[in-house]
Amino acid sequence: MVLSQECEGGSSGGLAGSILGSGGRECQPRQGAARDATHGYSASMLMFAGLGVVGFVFALLLKRADRRGGSVLERRPTRASGV
């Protein structure tokens, strides 16, 4: 499974930035609502810990898929001739 071709590196970087930006926009109101409801930061900390666990599981699944696909993500890019 190839996530993006070598010439599409900017596209995948832009997509990652867009996802990170939308995540930051969505988490702040939820964090504030959780703090207002519980009058403390415990719920917010649990929310971010849960997001960290989800991210870790996703990373493990991506690593497993990469191994099955021939370790495309771990390969170093080759230099184009004439560069």
Side-chain angles (χ1 to χ4, degrees), residues 6-36:
E6 187 174 336
C7 61
E8 296 174 349
S11 298
S12 59
L15 178 64
S18 175
I19 291 171
L20 287 171
S22 64
R25 245 187 341 268
E26 296 297 320
C27 285
Q28 290 176 359
R30 291 190 176 118
Q31 179 187 8
R35 187 188 178 295
D36 290 343

Side-chain angles (χ1 to χ4, degrees), residues 1 6 10 16 22 30 39 41 52 54 60-62 65 69 72 74 76-77 80 82:
M1 177 177 125
E6 187 174 336
S22 64
R30 291 190 176 118
H39 303 292
Y41 289 102
V54 168
L60 291 176
L61 291 172
L62 181 62
V72 176
E74 295 292 329
R76 290 187 179 186

